[in-house]
Amino acid sequence: LYYVVRQGIAAGLGFAGFLVALAIDPDRYRRAQLPIFALTIVLVLLVFPLADETRGSRRWIEVGSFQFQPSEFGKVLFVLALGGFLADRARRMGDPRVVLQLLGLGLVPILLVFKQPDLGTALVYSAALAACLFVAGIRWSHLVALASISVLLVASVVWFLPAAGFEVLQPYQTARLNFTDLGSDPSGTAYNQTQSITAVGSGGLDGRGVEAATQTRLDYLPEHHTDFVFASLAEQRGFVGAALLLGLYLLIVWRGLRVVTIARDAYGAIVAGGIVIAFLFQVFVNVGMTMGIAPVTGIPLPFVTVGGSSMVANLIAIGVLQAIHARGNLGRRRAR
């Protein structure tokens, strides 16, 4: 009951945020890109002096009986600010100096989130940054170079630097990255994903139902209302229920990509692209980690994971998308 009430309150606040975002002309965000970027930095910095350490990280600020995760709202603000910087320099995207300047700006909040440490959310920010650069018209040669550098950076963090005695990741993060060999420690670091895979597989075609879903009901499946909520759904509702949920996500992504194509200007297209790809990335990683094809990163499943900040931030992001869509359609009608 507690989680139902909590999620209901979050949905109510999120819907209010959706309506506000829908009413605001996206061009206002473009004009306020610097204050928005500054607010993004302030939000991700707040956790360091105000948040209590939980499971080795500082991500949540207690607000009464609720927890506020600033980095969730930072995702939306990050895209709004970055879209403004890119739109103002759209004609100079072929200049590598411009790309490097934008990367420098984008890396500031990404590294601050990584420092919390919150690897999953930092990856979401990175996916949004890559999407914004792509929609803005970055050259393919620059894109390939950035992708190569990213691969080298990941390899350095995961293998090369630890081999040289420099540990960048926390021990629990390093253990989670070993998701391709779950059989090496099934009752230890691989326990969560092992139980999750069991829950997904036991759902079969149409699920076991709530009462017979022993993995969830008997708490063998850890965090079944947050990180592994998709596994709980798959156990209870089976392939049919899981496919229905993924189909709804696909509908949101398809409509979001449609918004990119009809946006009235470059700013709207860049922001829409960043929001949609960040949303898709969250779904892919969360669902993937429940089935053992992605590491456990703590990325919430949009609109399903019990979490007030995630629910409110995602509904605001959908409101921004709708605002871009509405203005784009209005511009097309006037052009006719």
Side-chain angles (χ1 to χ4, degrees), residues 1-18 63-68 73 303 305-313 315-316:
L1 180 61
Y2 168 76
Y3 292 118
V4 172
V5 172
R6 178 179 170 182
Q7 199 74 340
I9 294 174
L13 292 173
F15 185 67
F18 166 85
V63 181
S65 59
F66 293 92
Q67 288 184 324
F68 167 66
F73 297 94
F303 304 123
T305 292
V306 175
S309 297
S310 175
M311 175 67 77
V312 175
L315 284 171
I316 291 174

Side-chain angles (χ1 to χ4, degrees), residues 55-294:
R55 299 178 184 176
S57 63
R58 296 178 181 272
R59 307 180 191 177
W60 301 277
I61 298 174
E62 297 288 342
V63 181
S65 59
F66 293 92
Q67 288 184 324
F68 167 66
Q69 188 173 355
S71 59
E72 285 292 327
F73 297 94
K75 294 174 186 176
V76 183
L77 295 174
F78 177 68
V79 173
L80 293 175
L82 194 65
F85 295 139
L86 287 166
D88 289 348
R89 298 161 178 81
R91 295 184 178 180
R92 295 187 289 141
M93 288 304 297
D95 188 345
R97 293 174 297 180
V98 174
V99 176
L100 290 175
Q101 291 171 1
L102 294 169
L103 282 176
L105 286 172
L107 284 174
V108 174
I110 291 173
L111 292 176
L112 288 173
V113 172
F114 179 78
K115 182 65 176 176
Q116 292 181 4
D118 189 352
L119 176 60
T121 304
L123 290 174
V124 175
Y125 278 60
S126 300
L129 172 60
C132 288
L133 286 171
F134 178 78
V135 177
I138 185 175
R139 287 184 177 179
W140 282 103
S141 58
H142 295 166
L143 189 63
V144 171
L146 291 176
S148 301
I149 293 172
S150 299
V151 171
L152 180 60
L153 181 61
V154 170
S156 298
V157 170
V158 176
W159 293 298
F160 301 149
L161 290 177
F166 298 97
E167 293 290 343
V168 179
L169 300 176
Q170 298 293 324
Y172 74 90
Q173 292 175 322
T174 303
R176 286 178 174 181
L177 291 175
N178 192 30
F179 66 96
T180 57
D181 187 20
L182 298 179
S184 61
D185 189 14
S187 60
T189 57
Y191 176 80
N192 290 0
Q193 274 190 299
T194 300
Q195 296 299 324
S196 177
I197 293 170
T198 301
V200 172
S202 64
L205 179 62
D206 55 357
R208 307 172 73 179
V210 176
E211 292 299 322
T214 54
Q215 287 291 113
T216 298
R217 191 167 60 83
L218 300 180
D219 290 331
Y220 289 110
L221 177 65
E223 307 295 343
H224 50 75
H225 60 285
T226 53
D227 288 357
F228 294 98
V229 67
F230 181 81
S232 178
L233 171 72
E235 182 187 19
Q236 296 177 34
R237 303 305 174 192
F239 175 81
V240 174
L244 176 61
L245 176 63
L246 293 178
L248 293 173
Y249 282 137
L250 181 61
L251 177 62
I252 293 174
V253 171
W254 172 65
R255 294 299 299 170
L257 293 176
R258 170 69 175 163
V259 173
V260 176
T261 64
I262 67 171
R264 68 182 177 187
D265 53 24
Y267 178 72
I270 294 168
V271 169
I275 290 175
V276 171
I277 296 305
F279 180 89
L280 177 62
F281 183 82
Q282 292 178 84
V283 173
F284 176 81
V285 174
N286 183 280
V287 173
M289 76 182 188
T290 64
M291 296 187 289
I293 61 174

Side-chain angles (χ1 to χ4, degrees), residues 33-67:
Q33 58 188 257
L34 289 176
I36 291 175
F37 185 75
L39 180 58
T40 305
I41 301 300
V42 170
L43 278 177
V44 295
L45 281 173
L46 278 178
V47 297
F48 294 104
L50 299 180
D52 295 327
E53 186 171 328
T54 304
R55 299 178 184 176
S57 63
R58 296 178 181 272
R59 307 180 191 177
W60 301 277
I61 298 174
E62 297 288 342
V63 181
S65 59
F66 293 92
Q67 288 184 324

